[in-house]
């Protein structure tokens, strides 16, 4: 991230009305950032080389759809509990991203494939690390819920 000038942000719900808070990753606080994935207020995370100090640039629905989208990668999923781990899905928000974020995206994908023990699912097109936990799909429809979202998937 640092070599590409990209920052990692977590998006958490602040209240029931859907207001969001954006928290950036800092090397000195890795454990703090990782704890967001266990937080019931966690919504998603994203990579961006766009300075989001001006939060008015963020769409009321939570993601960049105008100028900032050219500089960002949206990431859904990643929630984790004692029983399950949710798939992570990355996508470029813009069809014409800037060169900086595009270069980071390619580099990031290459680096992911170098992770020791990473396996490709035989029937579906995703990679995973072996775990005792149930792997469940990312569920954008349940992001506003505060109940046990994993129980829905694990009961199927």
């Amino acid at each position: 991230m640092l070599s590409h000038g990209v920052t990692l942000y977590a998006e958490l719900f602040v209240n029931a009305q859907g207001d969001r808070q954006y928290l950036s990753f800092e090397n000195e606080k890795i454990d703090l950032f990782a704890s967001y994935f266990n937080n019931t207020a966690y919504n998603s995370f994203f990579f961006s080389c766009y300075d989001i100090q001006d939060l008015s640039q963020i769409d009321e629905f939570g993601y960049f759809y105008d100028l900032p989208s050219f500089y960002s990668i949206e990431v859904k999923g990643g929630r984790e509990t004692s029983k399950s781990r949710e798939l992570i899905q990355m996508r470029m928000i813009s069809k014409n991203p800037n060169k900086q974020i595009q270069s980071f995206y390619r580099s990031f994908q290459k680096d992911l494939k170098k992770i020791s023990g990473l396996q490709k699912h035989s029937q579906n097109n995703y990679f995973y690390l072996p775990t005792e936990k149930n792997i469940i799909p990312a569920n954008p429809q349940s992001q506003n819920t505060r109940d046990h979202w994993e129980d829905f998937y694990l009961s199927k």
Side-chain angles (χ1 to χ4, degrees), residues 23-70:
L23 305 160
S24 63
F25 172 80
E26 297 174 31
N27 280 332
E28 307 83 45
K29 299 179 183 176
I30 293 173
D31 291 337
L32 174 64
F33 197 85
S35 73
Y36 300 148
F37 296 98
N38 301 326
N39 189 324
T40 57
Y42 166 75
N43 182 47
S44 62
F45 65 100
F46 59 94
F47 296 96
S48 184
C49 57
Y50 184 83
D51 184 11
I52 69 159
Q53 298 305 319
D54 180 10
L55 295 180
S56 65
Q57 292 292 323
I58 297 177
D59 186 273
E60 68 181 77
F61 297 106
Y63 275 109
F64 307 127
Y65 286 102
D66 294 322
L67 179 65
S69 71
F70 295 106

